[in-house]
Amino acid sequence: MCPSYVMNQGDITKLIESARDSFDIFGPVKKRTKHVFDKIDDPAQIEMDYDSTILSPRKFFQPPSEVMMTFDLEEKSVDDTLENLRAERPRLLLAVHSCDLNGILLLDKVFGGEYVDHYYNIRRDKTTIVGLNCLEPCEYGFCRSMNTHHVVEGYDLFLTPIDGDRYFVQVGTAKGEHLIHMAENLFTLAETGDVQSFKNALKHKQEALPHEVDLEGINEYLDLSFSHPVWDEIAEDCVNCGACAMVCPTCYCYDVVDELDISLTSADRTRKWDACLFQDFALVAGGHNFRETPAARLKYRFYHKMRGFANEYGIIGCTGCGRCTAACPSDISIKEVLKRLSTIWEVPVSGVK
Amino acid sequence: MGDNGKPSVGIFGLTGCAGCQLNILNIEDHLLDILNLVDITTWVMAKQENSEGPWDVAFVEGSVAKKSEIERVKKIREKSGVLVAIGACATHGGLPGLRNFRDISEMTQIVYGENNDHIDAIPIKPVSAYVDVDYELPGCPMEKTEFLEIVKSLVMGKRPYSAQYSVCGECKALENICLLKEGKFCMGPVTQAGCNALCPSNGAVCEGCRGPAPEANWAAEVKILKKIGATPEDVRRKFLKYCPSVAEMPEFKELEF
């Protein structure tokens, strides 16, 4: 068991300075009124006290668009681009909240499970993650309800703000330990008083984060409301734009497209983020669409997150980060939908829909 | 096929600003690649000697705004194997279609004065109102990347790729701040993607120049815009600004503003 440390909150910029020779460093920075995870060139850019980011850290491990293979039609050769990925500089990802650490753990199950996705895993292996505890609720999140407000793994270091000006630092892995050694003078071993401050912080968090959605019975109430008109009602507001899927920390669907260069001598195989809200998501050769209507697509998005993902991976696929609600042009709130569904306990309409 | 075995191509302009044709000329990095694949036998904007057809592929820019243009576009259609409408004017009527919302004889008089007998102006319509159109490249102007994609696809005999979703999908993947959330009247949720969210990425709202996305939920967009303060007239104008042909669609007629 590694010891825990404390560091001054202001020293995060010094940590960035110490680490920049070894890593490309990313963290939350301001983008007009919002925050985004972006490359930190100037340590002063980092904003540790942020609510949420527009896109989740998923973008670091499965970018919105990436070339998976290149084809040279004259040489008749194929390159899977993995060597380029392996040659990239290691990355340090700073200030990742608990909900997002849990999101990354869910993606690990998808991309590191039965079918190992090398593109994802190379990036994952090359990334060191410093987590950051949230002691106050954010605008749209409901992590407490989804039990993602705390983490037991998924971080290399984990920071909890204590005493207003310091972080209590937990070490999760050897990578985290390595980071400590990189800037040893910034860290001191935690003492009894620090541990008490840490406990106080956690107690404060326990009181501050609301528990809003009852997950008990979620399987039952989802099963019972599968044919309920509630889905058509929600679909009236849904524009099927897919913004919710783009910002989601656990959405992982992608489309693969082969693009031939205009010279017709080379080609790229590119994968791009896809969304189950898109019309052609479940369209197959021959023209059949398994999810023909927008209402059906919206419903299946919910059922996959809340029900199907759990069937496959043993855990609900929503981290309660609230990004989908923040992003929805129609202000559809996943939290409110869940609350509403939990009140519908009816005998399902007969027949298959 | 042209004499050299390459598909013959004609590029034509009806009523519009000619910006889409210009945009083809602007594909400077790949113009020679394009000419390796096809034989452009007619393009008045760029060539001195132009053939009278037939063409394997015709690209038609601009809206049909005059009686004489109906005949012209029909002739192009008769002489072409594949017809591709390029740009918002050709696909949805485009900005010239703003004329449709005023009295046409009054407009003719304002612009051309009393002696306007030679003007055979008719209500603006897209190319598809008069002839069969095989493919449409929407947008004001048409996207260069989509032009390249369709040239490649036609040469290879495959169906060109096009995004089946709205601008929001691209906009979010680029991590833009939602302009609707800032109270700006953005058409992103209901507008066909493919422009890589060019306007919102630069802080300007989507004007809907690429026309409706597949199964666009217009009623929801109307609700969103009104919620952030748009008047019914604001909303109507937003929908019709670049795409006056939308006014003819039953889904549009059913909308409550």
Side-chain angles (χ1 to χ4, degrees), chain B residues 15 64-70 99-100 103-109 111-112 116-125 130:
Chain B
T15 294
V64 180
K66 301 186 286 181
K67 276 189 206 130
S68 53
E69 284 177 336
I70 301 177
R99 191 178 83 188
N100 292 358
D103 179 74
I104 198 161
S105 55
E106 184 199 338
M107 294 289 284
T108 309
Q109 192 155 337
V111 178
Y112 297 100
N116 59 32
D117 293 348
H118 62 294
I119 302 295
D120 59 344
I122 51 173
I124 299 275
K125 286 193 175 165
Y130 298 102

Side-chain angles (χ1 to χ4, degrees), chain B residues 183-232:
Chain B
K184 296 171 186 156
F185 305 158
C186 185
M187 290 291 282
V190 290
T191 302
Q192 168 69 37
C195 54
N196 215 19
L198 181 65
C199 296
S201 297
N202 289 285
V205 291
C206 170
E207 294 287 357
C209 77
R210 293 177 53 82
E215 294 179 318
N217 187 347
W218 281 343
E221 173 73 0
V222 171
K223 196 171 158 187
I224 295 167
L225 292 176
K226 287 174 88 170
K227 199 169 154 187
I228 57 174
T231 64

Side-chain angles (χ1 to χ4, degrees), chain A residues 318-333:
Chain A
C318 170
T319 68
C321 73
R323 284 190 181 87
C324 52
T325 309
C328 179
S330 286
D331 298 325
I332 296 171
S333 157

